Amino acid sequence: MATFPVINLEKLNGEERATIMEQIKDACENWGFFELLNHGIPHEFLDTVERLTKEHYKKCMEQRFKELVASKALEGLQAEVTDMDWESTFFLRHLPESNMAEIPDLAHEYRKVMKEFALKLEKLAEELLDLLCENLGLEKGYLKKAFHGTRGPTFGTKVSNYPPCPKPDKIKGLRAHTDAGGIILLFQDAQVSGLQLLKDGQWVDVPPMRHSIVINLGDQLEVITNGKYKSVEHRVIAQTNGARMSIASFYNPGSDAIIHQAPALVESKQLYPKFVFEDYMKLYAGLKFQAKEPRFQAMKARETTLPIATA
């Protein structure tokens, strides 16, 4: 099987640009996932994010997770659990407005660092969307504009820890799903693995690499590209040894953005419906861990004559 794509952006603006752009194109078309090195976020800063995230889990979340495990009797599982995940999480919202001040227990330094991290990731997301535009033959800024709605994009972060699990054969760290939104940027643990994607009917490990950012494409990019790029099913396997940190940031369309295929990418037939992003998210909330195709079909069934904004 082909090797999971790891792309070094160091010489993107030099003589190796064409090669790197081809690597990104191949990863988008054939994997829906890739791992970035030399992405512009300083290594020392990422080390600080990792240290503070792990400290926060130990101080504020570990005991809560142990109590949850005890209350649900998850320690001695005999049958497979299919309605919950072996993860401890909290969510930060950045755009259109931040909820950072409302999150309890965040140390002042951690709050400050995560705000700065969000700004760096937002910039990287928008740079990547423009690289995708270039590869797709769309004008620069097209995807950012397609995500914009009336208030700009929605951007948030899911901070997760996957503690050691005594019965990893009975419960997933996170059940298999595709991501509903736009482009996802993941800073994951460099030591403990667990993330897998489905390729050609087989589960493939996403390798943990120090200071890398893993990128994956969500359902909305599949719709906008008329299926040229596809969102890919992925999951997290619980591990018996080691706690895995995962910080996934979701750069998504604004809630009222009207999502539709880019006219330039519709060669003969529109393969996907047109819809308001918020409507898709409402549907996704109840069907996240099911196949994406019925979601698209459901949106098609309720498709209305929504105006297509010229982007």
Side-chain angles (χ1 to χ4, degrees):
M1 180 176 274
T3 309
F4 181 84
V6 177
I7 301 171
N8 188 341
L9 292 184
E10 187 177 17
K11 296 179 179 172
L12 177 65
N13 295 318
E15 57 193 36
E16 293 179 27
R17 183 178 181 83
T19 303
I20 295 168
M21 291 299 288
E22 186 58 36
Q23 290 172 345
I24 294 171
K25 179 174 180 284
D26 180 72
C28 289
E29 290 181 355
N30 296 308
W31 288 83
F33 264 82
F34 51 98
E35 198 154 1
L36 292 179
L37 302 175
N38 292 308
H39 38 65
I41 301 177
H43 291 179
E44 304 75 27
F45 182 79
L46 291 174
D47 289 341
T48 301
V49 170
E50 181 172 354
R51 175 178 61 80
L52 293 173
T53 298
K54 290 181 174 179
E55 284 175 6
H56 176 77
Y57 173 73
K58 279 280 183 200
K59 183 181 173 190
C60 302
M61 307 206 47
E62 186 174 43
Q63 187 57 36
R64 278 183 231 162
F65 185 75
K66 286 178 179 174
E67 289 166 6
L68 172 71
V69 167
S71 71
K72 301 278 187 184
L74 296 178
E75 286 282 4
L77 291 173
Q78 299 302 315
E80 186 171 359
V81 174
T82 58
D83 62 349
M84 67 179 295
D85 303 299
W86 187 269
E87 65 172 356
S88 169
T89 65
F90 65 95
F91 296 87
L92 302 173
R93 191 174 64 246
H94 314 302
L95 295 173
E97 60 273 314
S98 172
N99 72 342
M100 202 86 81
E102 302 157 27
I103 305 293
D105 305 329
L106 290 188
H108 174 72
E109 184 189 8
Y110 190 33
R111 208 180 296 268
K112 183 166 163 280
V113 163
M114 291 306 280
K115 276 186 183 176
E116 190 179 345
F117 192 29
L119 290 172
K120 292 179 188 299
L121 289 169
E122 181 189 349
K123 179 173 178 280
L124 179 58
E126 292 178 353
E127 288 169 355
L128 287 168
L129 287 176
D130 276 344
L131 295 180
L132 268 54
C133 284
E134 188 175 331
N135 273 337
L136 289 162
L138 299 172
E139 65 185 81
K140 185 176 181 180
Y142 180 93
L143 290 171
K144 183 181 175 184
K145 199 171 173 186
F147 281 20
H148 196 274
T150 57
R151 301 178 64 206
T154 308
F155 187 45
T157 298
K158 177 187 176 187
V159 182
S160 307
N161 279 275
Y162 298 93
C165 178
K167 297 271 188 171
D169 57 327
K170 296 289 190 274
I171 188 168
K172 296 287 184 292
L174 180 59
R175 288 160 285 166
H177 64 286
T178 65
D179 288 327
I183 190 166
I184 299 86
L185 304 92
L186 169 69
F187 176 43
Q188 65 169 348
D189 204 288
Q191 308 298 324
V192 183
S193 63
L195 178 61
Q196 297 182 328
L197 66 96
L198 190 63
K199 179 166 171 59
D200 303 326
Q202 294 187 332
W203 289 104
V204 178
D205 290 329
V206 177
M209 296 180 75
R210 193 152 183 75
H211 301 133
S212 71
I213 300 288
V214 176
I215 306 299
N216 72 284
L217 310 180
D219 294 349
Q220 307 312 303
L221 282 176
E222 178 168 338
V223 173
I224 293 169
T225 65
N226 203 33
K228 194 173 178 69
Y229 295 168
K230 287 190 167 61
S231 59
V232 170
E233 206 172 330
H234 52 285
R235 67 184 186 183
V236 176
I237 297 297
Q239 305 286 359
T240 50
N241 296 313
R244 176 177 175 267
M245 177 200 75
S246 162
I247 304 175
S249 295
F250 300 80
Y251 187 100
N252 290 347
S255 58
D256 65 351
I258 296 172
I259 303 301
H260 60 87
Q261 284 100 111
L265 300 179
V266 180
E267 289 167 13
S268 56
K269 184 181 175 189
Q270 286 196 342
L271 302 176
Y272 296 85
K274 177 176 53 170
F275 51 81
V276 176
F277 178 62
E278 185 175 32
D279 292 342
Y280 187 84
M281 288 306 290
K282 286 175 183 171
L283 181 71
Y284 179 86
L287 302 172
K288 174 176 177 176
F289 298 110
Q290 298 179 31
K292 63 186 169 182
E293 289 77 15
R295 297 198 293 264
F296 292 143
Q297 288 163 9
M299 297 312 294
K300 182 79 177 168
R302 64 173 79 167
E303 192 171 23
T304 56
T305 51
L306 294 166
I308 291 186
T310 52

